[in-house]
Amino acid sequence: MARDEKGLLYDPGVRRSMQVLATESDAGPLEAAAALRSAWQAVDRLRSRGAGGRGLSTGALDVLGRLAVSADDLSIGDLARACGVSSRNVTGLVDTLAGKGLAERIPDPHDRRAVRVAITEAGREWLESFRRPTGRAMSAIFAGFTPDELDRLRHLCLRVADNQRRMQQHLDDTDPSAP
């Protein structure tokens, strides 16, 4: 890492590689995207360590967490919408969780073709054992950040996600071949 003329961190290797892809005026967004990816990879590496080799992907962890806070079982469609992924993706994640005994499929009483998903007691125990090491890891990775900086970082990351969502919606609305 190095510091720029404003005293802000940047990755010299990324900056050099972005010169191949960008004009001077659009290098900033490309470098920011690369920094966001690097930060996510750092967080995910620590999350994986917190999982203690128990092999849950970020997506499976997201589904398990959503099941844990739900007052009732959820449909695959509900989970897909909540997680922002396809039903097929959620089906695979539920397969993983069910295979590990962390979630269970329940027949839908109103639609015999559909299933609902609920967290198991083993799933709740897994989350509890994951909570402490993950909390310590996240505290360590964000050491030195003020509460205001953490709020601002969260806000900026969610703006990126919201911009992508709006861009995708626009593309879907303007693509005549979209279903």
Side-chain angles (χ1 to χ4, degrees):
M1 296 293 166
R3 292 200 179 263
D4 65 14
E5 61 282 350
K6 298 176 200 170
L8 301 174
L9 289 171
Y10 75 97
D11 182 328
V14 167
R15 184 162 285 176
R16 280 190 302 278
S17 68
M18 290 302 118
Q19 292 171 353
V20 173
L21 300 173
T23 64
E24 193 171 309
S25 63
D26 66 355
L30 290 172
E31 275 193 67
L36 187 60
R37 186 185 76 239
S38 292
W40 168 247
Q41 289 170 341
V43 168
D44 197 46
R45 280 190 296 274
L46 277 178
R47 184 211 51 87
S48 294
R49 284 191 65 155
R54 291 175 280 181
L56 280 193
S57 69
T58 303
L61 182 58
D62 189 17
V63 168
L64 191 61
R66 289 173 192 277
L67 290 170
V69 298
S70 176
D72 201 4
D73 50 52
L74 297 169
S75 72
I76 296 288
D78 292 338
L79 284 167
R81 282 185 292 284
C83 296
V85 298
S86 70
S87 292
R88 183 172 20 182
N89 188 306
V90 167
T91 298
L93 297 171
V94 168
D95 288 346
T96 297
L97 293 170
K100 293 179 179 294
L102 304 178
E104 64 182 341
R105 289 181 175 82
I106 301 167
D108 188 314
H110 306 292
D111 182 353
R112 61 187 194 128
R113 297 168 297 158
V115 296
R116 301 186 65 78
V117 184
I119 190 169
T120 63
E121 188 57 36
R124 291 188 188 286
E125 290 168 7
W126 190 99
L127 282 172
E128 182 58 29
S129 70
F130 180 75
R131 186 173 59 84
R132 280 187 183 61
T134 299
R136 285 192 303 271
M138 292 304 112
S139 292
I141 204 163
F142 291 107
F145 283 67
T146 67
D148 186 55
E149 288 171 326
L150 290 171
D151 289 346
R152 191 79 181 137
L153 178 60
R154 181 198 66 231
H155 171 75
L156 293 171
C157 290
L158 290 174
R159 275 182 57 194
V160 169
D162 192 49
N163 284 348
Q164 184 280 328
R165 182 197 54 76
R166 283 188 283 116
M167 184 180 78
Q168 186 64 50
Q169 185 63 51
H170 173 75
L171 292 172
D172 291 347
D173 290 346
T174 58
D175 182 359
S177 66

